[in-house]
Amino acid sequence: VELDVPSVVNAVVGDMDEPHGDSSCVPTWLVSRAAARRVKVVLSGDGGDEAFAGYATRYSHNLATETLRRWIPGGLRRGLAGGLARIWPRSGRLPRPLRLGNLLDNLSRDLEGAYARDMTVVRPALKARLYGAGLQDALGSFDSTCVLRDAFDRTRGHDPLSRLLYVDRHTYLSEGVIAKVDRMSMAHSLEVRSPLLDQKVVELAARIPSSLKIRGGTGKLCLRKLAAR
């Protein structure tokens, strides 16, 4: 099927009604349009990743880095790893085992800072180049990652994975994924229901130990075992 991409993107931007950094708005809009031609209600798996540790690659990297942090003294970690991160080559042509720039950068930060870096599209260096002097003066010392910090502050005392899942649910999921799906589907009068976002399901997931959610780079262990039946 031939698509008039500019017109689709223009429609998506209008239906989103506010700035949104997730490019998957476009396929979500298209899928919703196709589904609405046949049905009025569909089911979504939204919430499963944030409740049962579905982003296995990201979470595995977060947890591995957190383990390394415990073994390396803070001062040495911030100084050495941070310094190496600044000079480490970032070419995509490097063999995968040698692409350590991001790992070193995250290792020099705490869990909260590394998460913020991973989830940020426009990082401080790019902002400094993009923002005019007037905007920079107006923003002052404002740091947009304060939203993430506030969420992390509510998770003190919990294990690293539980903290990451909580922050994902209260920021990335609620402000990004749900808003995207809701607006892109309702643009076509399509209702999307998300059973994994049911309050009882989320509360149950929060009580399940992290060791039963992700292991060896495989996430959603609970759901996988349930589905295997």
Side-chain angles (χ1 to χ4, degrees):
V1 178
E2 290 292 330
L3 288 175
D4 183 354
V5 176
S7 67
V8 169
V9 171
N10 186 62
V12 167
V13 171
D15 291 332
M16 196 65 214
D17 199 38
E18 67 176 354
H20 195 76
D22 191 343
S23 60
S24 65
C25 283
V26 176
T28 303
W29 188 93
L30 291 168
V31 168
S32 297
R33 184 178 68 173
R37 292 169 180 166
R38 294 179 175 270
V39 297
K40 285 299 180 183
V41 181
V42 297
L43 296 180
S44 163
D46 289 336
D49 292 314
E50 295 81 7
F52 297 97
Y55 305 123
T57 299
R58 173 157 63 89
Y59 292 143
S60 294
H61 289 170
N62 291 144
L63 296 176
T65 305
E66 183 66 7
T67 299
L68 288 174
R69 288 190 189 98
R70 297 173 183 172
W71 287 94
I72 305 175
L76 177 63
R77 176 170 52 78
R78 288 187 293 271
L80 181 59
L84 287 173
R86 286 189 288 273
I87 63 174
W88 198 273
R90 304 291 180 115
S91 173
R93 297 180 180 179
L94 284 172
R96 189 168 296 277
L98 297 180
R99 299 178 192 177
L100 300 178
N102 289 336
L103 172 62
L104 291 167
D105 200 334
N106 283 351
L107 189 58
S108 69
R109 307 166 187 265
D110 58 12
L111 179 67
E112 295 94 327
Y115 176 92
R117 179 186 177 279
D118 287 342
M119 301 300 286
T120 299
V121 176
V122 183
R123 294 173 178 167
L126 181 55
K127 289 180 181 179
R129 293 170 54 195
L130 291 175
Y131 292 178
L135 178 56
Q136 292 189 29
D137 290 340
L139 289 172
S141 60
F142 174 75
D143 181 3
S144 58
T145 63
C146 65
V147 176
L148 302 179
R149 293 280 180 178
D150 289 344
F152 269 113
D153 285 343
R154 298 193 292 271
T155 67
R156 301 295 178 189
H158 294 278
D159 67 273
L161 180 62
S162 293
R163 301 185 71 195
L164 294 169
L165 293 175
Y166 178 92
V167 175
D168 262 354
R169 288 197 301 273
H170 287 264
T171 57
Y172 176 67
L173 174 64
S174 60
E175 300 293 336
V177 176
I178 294 176
K180 170 195 69 180
V181 174
D182 180 63
R183 297 184 189 186
M184 297 298 94
S185 59
M186 291 310 296
H188 304 286
S189 300
L190 179 71
E191 182 177 345
V192 177
R193 297 179 181 174
S194 305
L196 293 178
L197 285 174
D198 182 89
Q199 181 176 342
K200 292 183 179 179
V201 174
V202 175
E203 290 176 348
L204 172 64
R207 294 195 296 269
I208 296 175
S210 293
S211 60
L212 299 180
K213 294 178 180 176
I214 187 171
R215 188 178 304 150
T218 300
K220 291 184 179 176
L221 287 179
C222 302
L223 295 185
R224 292 175 189 275
K225 290 183 178 180
L226 181 63
R229 298 179 185 175

